[in-house]
Amino acid sequence: MIRVLLVDDQELMRRGLRKLLEIEDGIEVVGEAADGREALAAVPACAPDVVLVDARMPRMDGVELTARLAAEHPSVAALVLSTFEEDAYIFGALRAGACGYLLKDCSPEELVDGIRKAYEGETVLDGPVAARLVAELRGQPREPSRFHGQELLSSRELEVARMIAVGATNREIAARLFITEGTVKNHVSSMLRKLGLRDRTQLALHLSRA
């Protein structure tokens, strides 16, 4: 019996997933949580094998939850189920230790199959997500685009800069890099000072030109 914990901030989604999974042989829904903090608190009591994780949630999102599960409950498989296809979520979750990433428009059969594969330790990727990953891997050998003043920034500031360039919020950056939002703001302030820019909008435009 595969024990599944549902983590999603929308109650309607949790109810729908529960009804879908309860009719499947060999799968048992052992708990629900509305965000990452609730999920971490529930894990010791319900002892799930697979945690079905929403990417964007209040208080603690799916990327941070995945990282915490990998560190504190390494035997539990985190499978992300999300409506978002942004690289920050996809690659952030996979780097944090997720065993897979599915989109919410997948079929019920794909979801059930994904849960079973996650339980067996296999990697689970939706078609569009797999395409993103392949594109990322194909692009790795290329030298990253440079921008004026890049040599003034630290390696961490460059990581933050590249995420700002693709539209990531401070919260998304913090989750992907496993730092606080306050630290992200400090890095942004430092970059503005070093590059002689006025605000975050000017910074994003400066970076996007690269």
Side-chain angles (χ1 to χ4, degrees):
M1 186 67 71
I2 304 173
R3 299 169 61 83
V4 178
L5 171 64
L6 305 177
V7 188
D8 196 296
D9 61 335
Q10 296 182 7
E11 183 178 358
L12 189 62
M13 176 60 67
R14 297 198 305 272
R15 287 187 180 184
L17 289 171
R18 179 181 281 276
K19 288 186 178 295
L20 170 67
L21 297 176
E22 282 179 339
I23 62 174
E24 294 293 330
D25 292 334
I27 294 179
E28 178 186 7
V29 177
V30 293
E32 298 180 14
D35 58 52
R37 291 185 185 178
E38 285 187 15
L40 284 176
V43 167
C46 63
D49 300 304
V50 177
V51 180
L52 204 55
V53 180
D54 187 19
R56 183 178 292 180
M57 298 180 291
R59 299 206 302 168
M60 182 188 294
D61 67 12
V63 175
E64 185 176 354
L65 171 59
T66 298
R68 293 283 300 274
L69 286 171
E72 300 171 23
H73 306 281
S75 64
V76 177
L79 176 59
V80 178
L81 179 66
S82 175
T83 57
F84 300 101
E85 293 185 54
E86 287 93 336
D87 288 353
Y89 286 119
I90 296 173
F91 299 122
L94 294 176
R95 288 190 178 109
C99 65
Y101 199 107
L102 294 175
L103 299 176
K104 286 182 178 177
D105 61 359
C106 69
S107 69
E109 293 77 16
E110 287 173 325
L111 176 59
V112 171
D113 184 57
I115 291 173
R116 297 189 191 282
K117 287 181 177 178
Y119 176 71
E120 295 294 334
E122 298 182 39
T123 300
V124 183
L125 295 175
D126 208 328
V129 174
R132 285 285 187 89
L133 185 58
V134 170
E136 174 79 0
L137 292 174
R138 284 176 176 168
Q140 279 184 356
R142 295 179 300 176
E143 189 68 25
S145 298
R146 296 186 64 82
F147 54 86
H148 179 68
Q150 179 171 324
E151 68 281 356
L152 300 174
L153 306 186
S154 68
S155 58
R156 178 61 95 183
E157 287 170 346
L158 284 173
E159 289 182 292
V160 173
R162 290 188 174 115
M163 293 188 68
I164 290 175
V166 296
T169 65
N170 284 353
R171 183 177 180 185
E172 291 166 345
I173 295 170
R176 181 165 178 177
L177 299 181
F178 310 119
I179 57 179
T180 66
E181 288 187 54
T183 301
V184 176
K185 291 177 182 177
N186 290 339
H187 286 314
V188 172
S189 297
S190 175
M191 287 189 286
L192 291 175
R193 184 179 65 255
K194 291 179 179 180
L195 298 174
L197 301 173
R198 185 179 64 249
D199 53 34
R200 186 190 179 97
T201 301
Q202 279 196 346
L203 176 61
L205 289 172
H206 181 80
L207 298 171
S208 67
R209 293 190 187 105

